[in-house]
Amino acid sequence: MNPASWQAMHSFTRDSSVTSQRLKPGTVRRIASYARPYRGDLVLFMIATSLDAVVTVAVPLLLGLIVDKIEAKDTRAVLTIAGVVAGVALFDAFLSIAQRWYSARVGEGLIYDLRTEVFRHVQQQPIAFFTRAQTGSLVSRLNSDVIGAQQAITSTLSGVVSNALSLILVLAAMFYLSPLVTLAALVLIPVFILPARALGRRMQRLTRESMQLDAAMGSTMTERFNVAGAMLVKLFGRPAEEADVFSGRAARVRDIGVVTAMYGRVFFIALVLLASMATALAYGLGGALVIGGSISLGALVALASLLSRMYGPITALSNVQVDVMTALVSFDRVFEVLDLKPLIGDRPGATALPRTGPATTASLAPPGELAPPDAMSTPDAMSTPDAMSTPDAMSPPDAMAALAPDIEFDHVSFRYPAASEVSLASLESIALPAPEHTGASQQVLRDVTFRAPLGRLTALVGPSGAGKTTITHLVSRLYDPGQGVVRIGGHDIRDVTQDSLHDVVGVVTQDAHMFHDTIRANLAYARPGASGAELEQACRAAQIWDLIAALPDGLDTVVGDRGYRLSGGEKQRIALARLLLKAPSVVVLDEATAHLDSESELAVQRALKTALAGRTSLVIAHRLSTIREADQILVIDDGQVRERGRHDELLAAGGLYAELYRTQFASQEPLPAA
């Protein structure tokens, strides 16, 4: 199948319903702004495309002229024209290479620009966006829609220009050679176009269904081929059922592929048949004209050759509206993501949050591993890799505490944003039995006021769903409060840059995430330029170095998808080592020790003691040992601070904390000695 025929067939497989979609005002102007950096390449590309269309008409005319010169027995002219045809063929080959070169430069450049811009923009979205958006839909915007948008500038634009120019030149040449033969050939066009449109509608439905099934299979593989999904399938004994569902979808895609292939073949055969019938008509009618002396034999040969170049462009242009709108809608879907304004952003004039407190991993070595003060103050000691590099880093925990900023919540109220505020319906791709409630969500925090003293440990306790995790999210500015102010070191965190805030605040979540990479890469994510000695020191402080050193590949051990090759305690300690490497002044921690064995729990507790030393710490506490050591305990219930104080004070008060202690923590008390 030649390119023109394939393009015509592909055009009819596209969904014609796209023409009913309305584009946002200014979409075309916005598309032009993306093409502007490539305008030089685009101009050369369009020149090459136009010249190629001219060559399409020139070759048949030259062949007709050769035939006339052969009849005239003009050998010199025949050889000259034959040489010109060969030269035109070489020129056409050069034009094809030039078209591909400039098309690739413009197309791949646009893909790069759009992908990087979409990726960067999505990275700026709040966490609420990722809790709602389907990963597969986001990936589709970065792949399918971006490529579709690129085709608007290259394939669609060049196709429309090339087909339109070719058709104009071909018809002009044919009418010049013989208006009668040309009109007779045009009469046959509806005989092909009308059945082709009916066939195209059927192909559109099949193509749409195939794309939906492919997307469903892709989502199934994404969910079932990660560790958590594979484990769930195995634990519930559903591998056979999953295979049957996937097999059913794959079988339908196979059947659609067979039917589509046959429809495509029928389309191609019909196009060839039309060209053959038109050629027969041209030779029959044209032959009579040649015998009658109305046209020359060369003109008849040129007409027959031009006919084969006429039907492809006509067929493609008959569906040009669908082609153009399909490409423009791809751009519109990309712009839909780019136009989603992030809820969290730096305010104009935002300043950097001062970094205070410990600044190096050396200051975080466990008790007993710090170099003696005298040794640390000598030049030789200071020049070693493990030595501390700043006076602040050499300070004991109490001195470091004086440098760590405090955390203050001032009458803070908060509700989680509605779907319309953070996401797009087209990115969620979930069919619900009833429309989702879109009204404002209820308040999660109500008038929360407290101060976490600088350099001290504040523990958050309370029943599940009370709002403890929400408080920690507000400290790291994953969300902004609806009312009230969150301050760190006296600075409203909405008035400081996000980069400086995240430099000061270190967070360890309950489920410590690990990328599918080496331990070294996961640790260095906190500080890419960290040396091997610094990585080792952070791991020693986090009580994980002995385990890493015993591994055959050490720091270069691959942790697996989401770190599943490591135990819960090992992941938690590596996450703490990553925190120590970052060396923040404020630590926000969701303690994750409830599911650990006693040995892992003890190691994590030691690492925690190191990580929290001298830092302002806000910890969602699940262990009694953490609560006992807290300088302040905040009891959170129903989005409010119900009680505050130290362990013994709150226990004696006999309130909600005392009840929580009896139900959650009393069992952790050590048994009396026998």
Side-chain angles (χ1 to χ4, degrees):
M1 187 181 294
N2 60 54
S5 301
W6 181 89
Q7 186 182 32
M9 187 197 75
H10 181 66
S11 177
F12 279 100
T13 66
R14 289 177 169 166
D15 189 356
S16 59
S17 64
V18 73
T19 58
S20 63
Q21 298 190 33
R22 297 184 64 86
L23 298 175
K24 293 179 181 178
T27 297
V28 175
R29 191 182 311 111
R30 193 171 177 183
I31 292 172
S33 70
Y34 283 89
R36 192 170 295 118
Y38 306 97
R39 55 185 177 272
D41 288 335
L42 272 172
V43 168
L44 293 173
F45 173 59
M46 297 311 299
I47 290 174
T49 300
S50 301
L51 289 175
D52 187 61
V54 172
V55 169
T56 299
V57 178
V59 171
L61 294 176
L62 289 171
L63 292 177
L65 189 57
I66 286 181
V67 172
D68 286 339
K69 295 303 179 184
I70 291 174
E71 270 197 312
K73 297 183 171 36
D74 189 344
T75 305
R76 182 183 179 86
V78 168
L79 294 177
T80 301
I81 298 172
V84 172
V85 170
V88 169
L90 291 174
F91 181 60
D92 191 39
F94 167 76
L95 289 175
S96 297
I97 294 174
Q99 283 183 38
R100 191 69 191 98
W101 167 254
Y102 289 114
S103 173
R105 279 175 57 87
V106 174
E108 296 304 320
L110 279 169
I111 289 175
Y112 169 80
D113 293 342
L114 287 171
R115 275 183 178 163
T116 53
E117 186 173 356
V118 172
F119 185 87
R120 190 179 296 110
H121 186 75
V122 169
Q123 290 283 93
Q124 295 172 353
Q125 295 300 319
I127 290 298
F129 171 83
F130 296 97
T131 63
R132 302 196 64 92
Q134 190 180 49
T135 303
S137 297
L138 275 176
V139 173
S140 176
R141 297 295 168 101
L142 277 167
N143 290 326
S144 303
D145 288 327
V146 166
I147 292 174
Q150 168 256 335
Q151 289 176 346
I153 303 295
T154 54
S155 302
T156 303
L157 178 62
S158 65
V160 170
V161 172
S162 177
N163 287 325
L165 188 57
S166 295
L167 183 60
I168 291 171
L169 293 175
V170 166
L171 287 176
M174 289 181 65
F175 271 108
Y176 172 76
L177 293 172
S178 175
L180 182 60
V181 173
T182 304
L183 290 173
L186 290 174
V187 169
L188 292 175
I189 291 177
V191 177
F192 169 76
I193 293 294
L194 295 178
R197 284 190 174 277
L199 185 65
R201 283 192 291 272
R202 175 61 177 162
M203 294 177 71
Q204 290 163 13
R205 289 194 293 271
L206 290 173
T207 302
R208 190 186 309 120
E209 183 181 356
S210 178
M211 291 173 66
Q212 291 170 346
L213 288 169
D214 283 336
M217 288 194 296
S219 296
T220 298
M221 288 187 285
T222 300
E223 292 179 350
R224 272 61 171 182
F225 287 175
N226 63 62
V227 177
M231 187 179 297
L232 184 67
V233 171
K234 291 181 182 296
L235 292 177
F236 280 84
R238 301 296 297 273
E241 289 85 347
E242 292 287 345
D244 288 342
V245 171
F246 186 86
S247 176
R249 290 172 177 168
R252 179 57 183 156
V253 172
R254 175 201 61 200
D255 296 341
I256 289 174
V258 172
V259 174
T260 302
M262 292 306 300
Y263 280 164
R265 194 64 187 174
V266 169
F267 187 98
F268 175 65
I269 290 173
L271 190 59
V272 172
L273 183 61
L274 174 66
S276 299
M277 291 173 60
T279 302
L281 176 65
Y283 276 113
L285 180 59
L289 293 175
V290 171
I291 294 172
S294 299
I295 62 174
S296 67
L297 180 61
L300 175 60
V301 172
L303 280 168
S305 182
L306 287 168
L307 274 173
S308 64
R309 290 161 167 80
M310 181 181 71
Y311 290 114
I314 287 178
T315 306
L317 289 173
S318 69
N319 217 38
V320 68
Q321 185 183 9
V322 175
D323 294 339
V324 172
M325 285 300 298
T326 298
L328 293 181
V329 166
S330 292
F331 255 115
D332 202 45
R333 282 166 57 84
V334 172
F335 292 156
E336 189 180 29
V337 176
L338 293 175
D339 290 339
L340 188 62
K341 187 177 180 180
L343 286 182
I344 309 297
D346 290 345
R347 286 179 172 176
T351 58
L353 179 64
R355 182 184 177 94
T356 55
T360 66
T361 56
S363 63
L364 302 168
E369 293 188 19
L370 287 172
D374 293 341
M376 289 161 52
S377 62
T378 64
D380 292 339
M382 294 295 289
S383 64
T384 60
D386 295 334
M388 302 179 190
S389 59
T390 68
D392 292 341
M394 292 185 285
S395 305
D398 288 341
M400 291 190 295
L403 297 174
D406 61 350
I407 302 171
E408 181 186 358
F409 274 55
D410 186 1
H411 298 286
V412 170
S413 296
F414 174 76
R415 68 167 179 85
Y416 282 101
S420 59
E421 297 176 272
V422 295
S423 185
L424 298 169
S426 58
L427 289 177
E428 298 186 22
S429 303
I430 297 296
L432 297 175
E436 187 176 13
H437 178 65
T438 57
S441 57
Q442 64 180 6
Q443 293 286 334
V444 179
L445 298 179
R446 294 191 295 276
D447 198 30
V448 173
T449 299
F450 69 86
R451 177 176 174 271
L454 50 85
R456 302 300 175 186
L457 169 59
T458 297
L460 303 177
V461 299
S464 178
K468 304 184 297 295
T469 300
T470 302
I471 289 175
T472 63
H473 286 172
L474 293 180
V475 173
S476 52
R477 209 187 169 201
L478 297 179
Y479 300 92
D480 279 338
Q483 293 89 36
V485 180
V486 179
R487 299 185 181 92
I488 293 181
H491 298 270
D492 184 340
I493 61 175
R494 291 172 295 190
D495 293 332
V496 302
T497 62
Q498 293 183 77
D499 288 344
S500 66
L501 175 65
H502 297 149
D503 192 41
V504 170
V505 179
V507 180
V508 177
T509 58
Q510 190 174 60
D511 182 18
H513 184 79
M514 299 285 155
F515 294 112
H516 187 85
D517 209 328
T518 63
I519 295 175
R520 183 190 304 276
N522 275 283
L523 289 171
Y525 197 76
R527 182 144 50 103
S531 65
E534 289 171 323
L535 295 177
E536 178 181 344
Q537 189 175 11
C539 291
R540 287 188 183 278
Q543 307 289 311
I544 192 66
W545 177 251
D546 290 342
L547 172 70
I548 294 175
L551 296 172
D553 296 318
L555 287 170
D556 295 318
T557 301
V558 177
V559 301
D561 183 34
R562 301 183 187 180
Y564 270 104
R565 294 180 64 185
L566 304 172
S567 69
E570 291 164 355
K571 285 171 60 178
Q572 193 74 10
R573 280 178 281 166
I574 288 178
L576 288 171
R578 186 162 58 189
L579 176 78
L580 294 175
L581 199 62
K582 180 180 178 181
S585 306
V586 175
V587 172
V588 176
L589 172 70
D590 191 348
E591 194 177 39
T593 56
H595 62 287
L596 304 180
D597 58 72
S598 57
E599 183 179 353
S600 295
E601 181 182 334
L602 181 60
V604 169
Q605 289 296 332
R606 288 174 178 169
L608 277 176
K609 192 168 185 179
T610 300
L612 304 182
R615 291 182 162 85
T616 304
S617 307
L618 193 63
V619 179
I620 299 177
H622 299 288
R623 307 303 299 173
L624 182 61
S625 56
T626 304
I627 295 173
R628 284 185 179 279
E629 294 181 4
D631 299 290
Q632 175 183 219
I633 299 172
L634 301 177
V635 183
I636 311 298
D637 182 44
D638 195 25
Q640 295 178 304
V641 180
R642 298 293 188 184
E643 301 173 8
R644 69 186 75 202
R646 296 182 68 92
H647 172 68
D648 294 335
E649 299 168 354
L650 294 174
L651 204 58
L656 177 59
Y657 178 79
E659 182 182 343
L660 288 170
Y661 172 78
R662 287 191 298 270
T663 58
Q664 296 184 19
F665 302 117
S667 61
Q668 300 175 25
E669 290 280 11
L671 296 174

